[in-house]
Amino acid sequence: MKKIQRTAAGLDTFFKIAYRLGIVAIVFSSIVILFMWYLYMGAPELISKLRLSLNFGMIQFQVSPDVVPTREHGFLFLALGTIISVAQLPVFCMIFSSIRGILAPIKDGTPFHDDIVYYLKRLGWLTVANGIIGNLANLVVYGNLLPGYNLGELFLSDKITAVTASYSFDLTFVLYAFILFLLSYIFQYGRELQQLSDETL
């Protein structure tokens, strides 16, 4: 049990640092988002200096700075990107906080504690939220890239007759969330057995 407690304490220290780094990331990302809004609203001519690169596996295309998104798609991309960032970064911090909430009772030598059940369920729901936000982020990026930059005109020729985008959604987060919910019920059952054992004694 002592070895498990020491391991839990080490992991708790790791996620404590990760949590603080997450706070720093939120502050930094907020500055970046504000800067992007400044470029869009206050100095749109600077946006042309942002270089777009297209990756096709190991092949990369560097697009000319003259190719910029339309103002309508630029605003939509920036607005949706801001909303997604505002939603996603706190979720990451809450994930680290939930993991620390799971490790806290284990450090104290009480692995079947009410808090573990609560934080496992919370972590499951946060996993679902993070998965949905991640899929929405991909949809925003690729949904605006093709029409926003009008990439069809860059590629269409007598050799290439059409340019289309295919969207795929990663649903592995559902499996992870299911495992976390299952673990919460296992720990809840263990807590009930421990409670019955203590009452018997």
Side-chain angles (χ1 to χ4, degrees):
M1 187 63 187
K2 293 292 184 182
K3 185 177 181 180
I4 295 176
Q5 288 179 268
R6 286 195 299 269
T7 302
L11 289 172
D12 182 67
T13 302
F14 171 79
F15 284 107
K16 181 180 181 180
I17 296 172
Y19 177 80
R20 291 178 177 175
L21 290 176
I23 298 295
V24 174
I26 288 178
V27 175
F28 178 76
S29 298
S30 300
I31 295 173
V32 171
I33 290 172
L34 290 174
F35 179 69
M36 292 300 294
W37 276 108
Y38 163 75
L39 290 181
Y40 183 79
M41 302 297 294
E45 68 278 0
L46 295 179
I47 294 180
S48 62
K49 297 182 180 180
L50 300 177
R51 303 296 298 273
L52 172 68
S53 61
L54 304 175
N55 298 302
F56 300 92
M58 298 178 65
I59 302 173
Q60 183 180 69
F61 292 89
Q62 197 72 40
V63 181
S64 169
D66 297 332
V67 179
V68 295
T70 62
R71 188 166 182 83
E72 177 184 349
H73 283 92
F75 176 79
L76 182 62
F77 179 82
L78 194 54
L80 292 176
T82 300
I83 294 172
I84 289 173
S85 298
V86 168
Q88 193 169 39
L89 290 173
V91 168
F92 276 123
C93 287
M94 286 189 287
I95 286 175
F96 292 136
S97 175
S98 296
I99 293 173
R100 293 194 65 203
I102 293 170
L103 294 172
I106 299 177
K107 287 194 308 178
D108 298 333
T110 55
F112 296 105
H113 193 276
D114 289 339
D115 287 349
I116 293 183
V117 176
Y118 167 76
Y119 282 112
L120 278 172
K121 290 181 179 178
R122 184 187 184 199
L123 192 58
W125 287 116
L126 288 171
T127 301
V128 172
N130 187 57
I132 293 174
I133 294 172
N135 281 310
L136 288 176
N138 289 331
L139 188 61
V140 168
V141 170
Y142 293 107
N144 282 279
L145 188 63
L146 191 61
Y149 282 90
N150 203 6
L151 297 183
E153 291 186 358
L154 298 179
F155 290 98
L156 290 180
S157 67
D158 57 340
K159 305 293 184 182
I160 301 175
T161 59
V163 178
T164 58
S166 299
Y167 305 105
S168 60
F169 297 97
D170 183 9
L171 298 178
T172 55
F173 69 91
V174 177
L175 175 62
Y176 298 145
F178 174 78
I179 293 173
L180 289 168
F181 289 134
L182 181 62
L183 285 174
S184 72
Y185 288 113
I186 291 174
F187 273 88
Q188 183 176 3
Y189 182 66
R191 179 184 58 81
E192 291 174 357
L193 289 178
Q194 187 178 51
Q195 185 177 1
L196 289 173
S197 176
D198 294 341
E199 291 175 355
T200 302
L201 293 176

